[in-house]
């Protein structure tokens, strides 16, 4: 067994997820179609493939203790010049996201890791593109709003092709959602 790159996030539901993904692609972000629209709880993290069951068990425990909360996106922000990112702001649910990501990254758990930057929940809409396109994303989405009840999160794996694929959903306050029949099986996802 080798290593896999995983991430944990809250998916932005439809129709908002596809809408923001299309807008991101329209700004010229080539990675847009390989990254489902989301709020990150665990950024890309390389782990031993053998430890994946322990990560899944840990995430199930975190989710089982969690409760649904309102999520609301409104307006834009940026991490420039520190990082070339424009995002839609999380204006409701940020505290819950912060607590969740701390639980997911529990130093005693299998997904422990330090962050490169302080945690700031957001939805990326432009990353690593030219400044004019970043400015356009910032301006065009300044009035953007969406809201929904957040009822859980999901574990994703990044394939060798750079595409993030959902491995499993973890609903709050209940058992793990059974894998969908069309889900990518462990052996079919390219690893490093």
């Amino acid at each position: 067994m080798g290593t896999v790159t995983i991430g944990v996030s809250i998916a932005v539901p439809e129709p908002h997820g596809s809408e923001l993904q299309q807008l991101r692609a329209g700004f010229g972000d080539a990675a847009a179609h390989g990254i489902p629209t989301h709020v990150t709880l665990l950024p890309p993290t390389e782990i031993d493939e053998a430890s994946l069951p322990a990560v899944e068990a840990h995430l199930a425990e975190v989710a089982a203790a969690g409760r649904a909360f309102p999520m609301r996106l409104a307006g834009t922000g940026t991490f420039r010049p520190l990082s070339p990112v424009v995002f839609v702001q999380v204006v409701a649910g940020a505290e819950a996201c912060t607590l969740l990501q701390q639980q997911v990254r529990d130093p005693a758990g299998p997904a422990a890791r330090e962050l490169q930057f302080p945690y700031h929940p957001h939805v990326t809409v432009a990353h690593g593109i030219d400044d004019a396109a970043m400015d356009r994303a910032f301006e065009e989405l300044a009035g953007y709003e969406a809201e929904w009840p957040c009822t859980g999160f999901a574990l994703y794996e990044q394939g060798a092709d750079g595409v993030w694929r959902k491995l499993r959903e973890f609903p709050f306050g209940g058992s793990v959602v059974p894998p969908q029949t069309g889900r990518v099986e462990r052996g079919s996802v390219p690893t490093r």
Side-chain angles (χ1 to χ4, degrees):
M1 288 193 163
T3 61
V4 293
T5 300
I6 62 166
V8 178
S9 63
I10 296 168
V12 175
E14 298 304 332
H16 315 297
S18 291
E19 179 184 25
L20 288 172
Q21 191 174 45
Q22 290 300 101
L23 288 165
R24 184 173 179 173
F27 297 132
D29 190 330
H33 292 294
I35 305 172
T37 308
H38 68 281
V39 175
T40 300
L41 298 176
L42 177 72
T45 301
E46 190 173 302
I47 63 167
D48 288 330
E49 189 172 5
S51 65
L52 198 54
V55 169
E56 290 183 6
H58 170 67
L59 295 176
E61 286 180 20
V62 170
R67 296 293 173 257
F69 59 91
M71 287 281 286
R72 183 167 170 263
L73 308 178
T76 51
T78 184
F79 294 131
R80 293 185 293 174
L82 191 59
S83 181
V85 173
V86 170
F87 57 86
V88 175
Q89 299 186 69
V90 174
V91 296
E95 285 183 33
C97 290
T98 299
L99 178 61
L100 269 176
Q101 66 87 29
Q102 289 171 340
Q103 294 170 337
V104 166
R105 293 185 312 102
D106 182 338
R113 74 161 281 179
E114 293 294 319
L115 297 179
Q116 184 179 0
F117 300 106
Y119 182 74
H120 181 86
H122 65 280
V123 177
T124 299
V125 291
H127 179 242
I129 57 177
D130 68 70
D131 283 337
M134 298 278 267
D135 292 342
R136 189 165 63 92
F138 187 87
E139 292 163 11
E140 287 185 18
L141 291 173
Y144 186 85
E145 290 192 23
E147 59 183 299
W148 69 93
C150 177
T151 58
F153 55 84
L155 172 66
Y156 293 81
E157 180 178 329
Q158 185 179 37
D161 57 0
V163 174
W164 287 91
R165 294 172 179 88
K166 187 184 330 181
L167 294 180
R168 184 174 268 173
E169 292 183 17
F170 297 89
F172 293 136
S175 60
V176 175
V177 172
Q180 297 175 353
T181 55
R183 112 180 172 130
V184 176
E185 294 301 317
R186 295 277 336 126
S188 66
V189 176
T191 59
R192 289 187 198 172

